[in-house]
Amino acid sequence: MRTFEDTYRHKGLRKQLIQVLRDKGITNERILEVMNEIPRHYFLDSAFDQVAYEDKAFPILEGQTISQPYTVAYQTQLLDVKPFEKVLEIGTGSGYQAMVLGALGCQVFTIERQKKLFDFHKNFILRGKYPSIKYFYGDGFEGLPTFAPFDKVLVTAAAPFIPPKLIEQMKTGAKLVIPVGEGEIQQMKRVTKNADGSYSEELFEQFSFVPMLMGKNQ
Ligand code: SAH
Protein backbone atom coordinates (compact mmCIF):
# COMPACT_ATOMS: atom_id res chain seq x y z
CA MET A 1 0.00 0.00 0.00
CA ARG A 2 1.06 3.56 -0.63
CA THR A 3 -0.14 6.88 0.65
CA PHE A 4 -0.04 9.93 -1.57
CA GLU A 5 -0.13 12.75 0.90
CA ASP A 6 2.74 15.19 1.23
CA THR A 7 2.48 16.53 4.77
CA TYR A 8 4.48 19.27 6.50
CA ARG A 9 6.36 16.50 8.25
CA HIS A 10 7.39 14.94 4.92
CA LYS A 11 8.40 18.34 3.58
CA GLY A 12 10.47 19.03 6.69
CA LEU A 13 12.25 15.68 6.51
CA ARG A 14 12.92 16.24 2.81
CA LYS A 15 14.56 19.58 3.57
CA GLN A 16 16.81 17.89 6.11
CA LEU A 17 17.75 15.25 3.55
CA ILE A 18 18.76 17.99 1.10
CA GLN A 19 21.09 19.40 3.75
CA VAL A 20 22.59 15.92 4.25
CA LEU A 21 23.27 15.72 0.48
CA ARG A 22 24.84 19.17 0.52
CA ASP A 23 27.06 18.15 3.46
CA LYS A 24 28.13 15.03 1.55
CA GLY A 25 29.37 17.20 -1.30
CA ILE A 26 26.50 17.65 -3.76
CA THR A 27 26.92 21.19 -5.11
CA ASN A 28 24.46 21.42 -8.01
CA GLU A 29 21.68 23.57 -6.52
CA ARG A 30 19.24 22.78 -9.32
CA ILE A 31 19.48 19.05 -8.52
CA LEU A 32 18.99 19.74 -4.79
CA GLU A 33 15.99 21.93 -5.66
CA VAL A 34 14.18 19.24 -7.68
CA MET A 35 14.97 16.58 -5.07
CA ASN A 36 13.41 18.92 -2.52
CA GLU A 37 10.25 19.04 -4.66
CA ILE A 38 9.74 15.33 -5.44
CA PRO A 39 7.99 13.36 -2.66
CA ARG A 40 10.27 10.30 -2.39
CA HIS A 41 7.82 8.54 -0.06
CA TYR A 42 5.36 8.23 -2.99
CA PHE A 43 7.81 5.76 -4.55
CA LEU A 44 7.84 3.48 -1.51
CA ASP A 45 5.40 1.27 0.34
CA SER A 46 3.76 3.14 3.23
CA ALA A 47 5.67 0.84 5.61
CA PHE A 48 8.71 3.00 4.78
CA ASP A 49 6.93 6.29 5.45
CA GLN A 50 8.94 7.02 8.61
CA VAL A 51 12.29 6.39 6.95
CA ALA A 52 11.70 7.51 3.34
CA TYR A 53 13.88 10.60 3.83
CA GLU A 54 16.87 8.81 5.30
CA ASP A 55 19.79 8.73 2.90
CA LYS A 56 19.40 5.01 2.22
CA ALA A 57 18.34 2.60 -0.53
CA PHE A 58 15.07 0.73 0.16
CA PRO A 59 13.43 -2.37 -1.34
CA ILE A 60 10.74 -1.97 -4.01
CA LEU A 61 9.04 -4.75 -6.04
CA GLU A 62 10.82 -7.84 -7.41
CA GLY A 63 13.80 -7.68 -5.04
CA GLN A 64 14.95 -4.39 -6.57
CA THR A 65 15.75 -1.12 -4.83
CA ILE A 66 15.16 2.61 -5.03
CA SER A 67 18.67 4.10 -5.14
CA GLN A 68 20.04 6.00 -2.15
CA PRO A 69 19.33 9.76 -2.56
CA TYR A 70 23.07 10.52 -2.44
CA THR A 71 23.62 8.09 -5.32
CA VAL A 72 20.81 9.69 -7.36
CA ALA A 73 22.21 13.18 -6.74
CA TYR A 74 25.80 12.02 -7.43
CA GLN A 75 24.98 10.30 -10.73
CA THR A 76 22.79 13.20 -11.85
CA GLN A 77 25.55 15.68 -11.03
CA LEU A 78 28.13 13.66 -13.00
CA LEU A 79 25.73 13.46 -15.95
CA ASP A 80 25.58 17.28 -16.03
CA VAL A 81 22.22 17.46 -17.87
CA LYS A 82 20.80 20.52 -19.60
CA PRO A 83 17.10 21.19 -20.26
CA PHE A 84 15.77 19.49 -23.43
CA GLU A 85 18.61 16.97 -23.63
CA LYS A 86 17.66 13.44 -24.65
CA VAL A 87 18.58 11.16 -21.76
CA LEU A 88 18.44 7.37 -21.78
CA GLU A 89 18.15 5.72 -18.36
CA ILE A 90 18.74 1.99 -17.86
CA GLY A 91 16.86 0.58 -14.84
CA THR A 92 13.63 2.52 -14.18
CA GLY A 93 13.10 0.73 -10.85
CA SER A 94 10.94 2.95 -8.66
CA GLY A 95 11.01 5.71 -11.30
CA TYR A 96 12.48 8.22 -8.86
CA GLN A 97 15.68 8.90 -10.80
CA ALA A 98 13.70 9.29 -14.04
CA MET A 99 11.53 11.93 -12.36
CA VAL A 100 14.58 13.83 -11.13
CA LEU A 101 15.80 13.97 -14.75
CA GLY A 102 12.30 14.89 -15.98
CA ALA A 103 12.05 17.67 -13.39
CA LEU A 104 15.40 19.00 -14.66
CA GLY A 105 13.72 19.47 -18.04
CA CYS A 106 15.20 16.49 -19.90
CA GLN A 107 13.43 14.30 -22.43
CA VAL A 108 13.79 11.00 -20.60
CA PHE A 109 13.67 7.49 -22.09
CA THR A 110 13.80 4.93 -19.29
CA ILE A 111 14.03 1.13 -19.69
CA GLU A 112 13.12 -1.55 -17.14
CA ARG A 113 13.55 -5.33 -17.61
CA GLN A 114 11.12 -6.37 -14.83
CA LYS A 115 7.57 -6.46 -16.21
CA LYS A 116 5.93 -5.82 -12.82
CA LEU A 117 7.98 -2.71 -12.23
CA PHE A 118 7.30 -1.46 -15.75
CA ASP A 119 3.53 -2.09 -15.33
CA PHE A 120 3.51 -0.22 -12.07
CA HIS A 121 4.42 3.05 -13.78
CA LYS A 122 1.38 2.97 -16.07
CA ASN A 123 -0.82 4.25 -13.24
CA PHE A 124 1.67 5.99 -11.00
CA ILE A 125 0.22 9.19 -9.57
CA LEU A 126 3.12 11.45 -10.58
CA ARG A 127 3.26 10.18 -14.18
CA GLY A 128 1.14 13.00 -15.62
CA LYS A 129 3.31 15.62 -13.96
CA TYR A 130 6.31 14.79 -16.15
CA PRO A 131 5.00 13.94 -19.62
CA SER A 132 8.56 14.25 -20.98
CA ILE A 133 9.38 10.80 -19.50
CA LYS A 134 8.77 7.77 -21.73
CA TYR A 135 8.76 4.30 -20.14
CA PHE A 136 9.93 1.15 -21.95
CA TYR A 137 9.92 -2.56 -21.07
CA GLY A 138 13.11 -4.07 -22.43
CA ASP A 139 16.75 -5.00 -21.98
CA GLY A 140 19.01 -2.06 -21.30
CA PHE A 141 21.99 -3.83 -22.92
CA GLU A 142 20.17 -3.22 -26.21
CA GLY A 143 19.46 0.46 -25.53
CA LEU A 144 16.74 2.10 -27.62
CA PRO A 145 17.98 2.28 -31.23
CA THR A 146 14.70 3.82 -32.46
CA PHE A 147 15.17 6.91 -30.30
CA ALA A 148 18.97 7.24 -30.63
CA PRO A 149 21.20 9.20 -30.62
CA PHE A 150 21.17 10.42 -27.02
CA ASP A 151 22.93 13.36 -25.35
CA LYS A 152 23.32 11.50 -22.07
CA VAL A 153 23.00 7.89 -20.87
CA LEU A 154 22.61 6.88 -17.22
CA VAL A 155 22.89 3.28 -16.02
CA THR A 156 21.44 2.70 -12.53
CA ALA A 157 22.34 -1.00 -12.16
CA ALA A 158 25.80 -2.60 -11.76
CA ALA A 159 27.10 -3.29 -15.27
CA PRO A 160 29.60 -6.13 -15.82
CA PHE A 161 31.12 -4.08 -18.68
CA ILE A 162 30.34 -0.98 -20.75
CA PRO A 163 27.57 -2.11 -23.14
CA PRO A 164 28.77 -1.42 -26.71
CA LYS A 165 25.26 -0.69 -27.99
CA LEU A 166 24.90 2.16 -25.50
CA ILE A 167 28.09 3.74 -26.88
CA GLU A 168 26.75 3.31 -30.43
CA GLN A 169 23.56 5.14 -29.48
CA MET A 170 25.38 8.20 -28.11
CA LYS A 171 26.06 11.45 -29.99
CA THR A 172 29.67 12.57 -30.37
CA GLY A 173 30.62 14.28 -27.11
CA ALA A 174 27.74 12.57 -25.27
CA LYS A 175 28.30 11.26 -21.75
CA LEU A 176 27.46 7.93 -20.10
CA VAL A 177 27.49 7.55 -16.31
CA ILE A 178 27.72 3.90 -15.29
CA PRO A 179 28.73 1.83 -12.24
CA VAL A 180 31.01 -0.96 -13.55
CA GLY A 181 31.94 -4.15 -11.69
CA GLU A 182 30.79 -7.71 -11.12
CA GLY A 183 31.31 -7.93 -7.35
CA GLU A 184 29.55 -6.22 -4.44
CA ILE A 185 31.25 -2.93 -5.18
CA GLN A 186 31.37 -1.05 -8.46
CA GLN A 187 33.42 1.83 -9.74
CA MET A 188 31.48 4.83 -11.02
CA LYS A 189 32.67 5.77 -14.49
CA ARG A 190 31.92 8.68 -16.77
CA VAL A 191 32.45 7.83 -20.40
CA THR A 192 32.66 10.45 -23.16
CA LYS A 193 32.22 9.43 -26.79
CA ASN A 194 34.87 10.72 -29.20
CA ALA A 195 34.29 11.80 -32.80
CA ASP A 196 35.89 8.58 -34.14
CA GLY A 197 33.45 6.40 -32.15
CA SER A 198 36.01 5.48 -29.47
CA TYR A 199 35.52 6.70 -25.88
CA SER A 200 37.45 7.99 -22.90
CA GLU A 201 36.79 7.14 -19.26
CA GLU A 202 36.98 9.08 -16.00
CA LEU A 203 36.84 7.24 -12.67
CA PHE A 204 34.88 8.34 -9.60
CA GLU A 205 33.71 6.94 -6.23
CA GLN A 206 32.73 3.34 -5.50
CA PHE A 207 29.08 2.34 -5.06
CA SER A 208 26.96 -0.78 -4.60
CA PHE A 209 24.07 -1.34 -7.05
CA VAL A 210 21.81 -4.30 -7.85
CA PRO A 211 23.15 -6.13 -10.93
CA MET A 212 22.38 -5.20 -14.54
CA LEU A 213 21.03 -8.47 -15.96
CA MET A 214 20.64 -9.61 -19.56
CA GLY A 215 17.23 -10.09 -21.17
CA LYS A 216 13.72 -9.30 -19.97
CA ASN A 217 11.83 -10.83 -17.04
CA GLN A 218 8.09 -11.50 -17.18
N1 SAH B 1 16.80 4.18 -11.15
C1 SAH B 1 16.15 3.38 -10.14
C2 SAH B 1 17.10 2.40 -9.48
C3 SAH B 1 16.63 1.04 -9.69
S1 SAH B 1 17.62 -0.31 -9.23
C4 SAH B 1 15.39 4.21 -9.15
O1 SAH B 1 15.46 5.43 -9.20
O2 SAH B 1 14.66 3.65 -8.33
C5 SAH B 1 18.07 -0.94 -10.80
C6 SAH B 1 16.97 -1.37 -11.73
O3 SAH B 1 17.60 -1.82 -12.94
C7 SAH B 1 16.13 -2.55 -11.25
O4 SAH B 1 14.77 -2.18 -11.27
C8 SAH B 1 16.42 -3.66 -12.26
O5 SAH B 1 15.32 -4.50 -12.53
C9 SAH B 1 16.84 -2.86 -13.49
N2 SAH B 1 17.65 -3.59 -14.46
C10 SAH B 1 18.65 -4.48 -14.24
N3 SAH B 1 19.17 -4.92 -15.40
C11 SAH B 1 18.49 -4.27 -16.40
C12 SAH B 1 18.54 -4.31 -17.84
N4 SAH B 1 19.40 -5.09 -18.49
N5 SAH B 1 17.69 -3.53 -18.51
C13 SAH B 1 16.80 -2.71 -17.88
N6 SAH B 1 16.69 -2.65 -16.54
C14 SAH B 1 17.52 -3.42 -15.80
Side-chain angles (χ1 to χ4, degrees), residues 64-65 89 91-94 97 112-114 139-140 156 212-213:
Q64 303 303 318
T65 54
E89 183 200 16
T92 313
S94 69
Q97 170 75 70
E112 174 56 54
R113 69 180 288 280
Q114 296 276 2
D139 177 3
T156 67
M212 181 173 180
L213 303 171

Side-chain angles (χ1 to χ4, degrees), residues 116-129:
K116 280 201 187 128
L117 281 174
F118 168 76
D119 285 343
F120 172 80
H121 293 287
K122 288 180 185 158
N123 302 313
F124 185 49
I125 190 161
L126 292 175
R127 183 161 179 155
K129 202 166 174 212

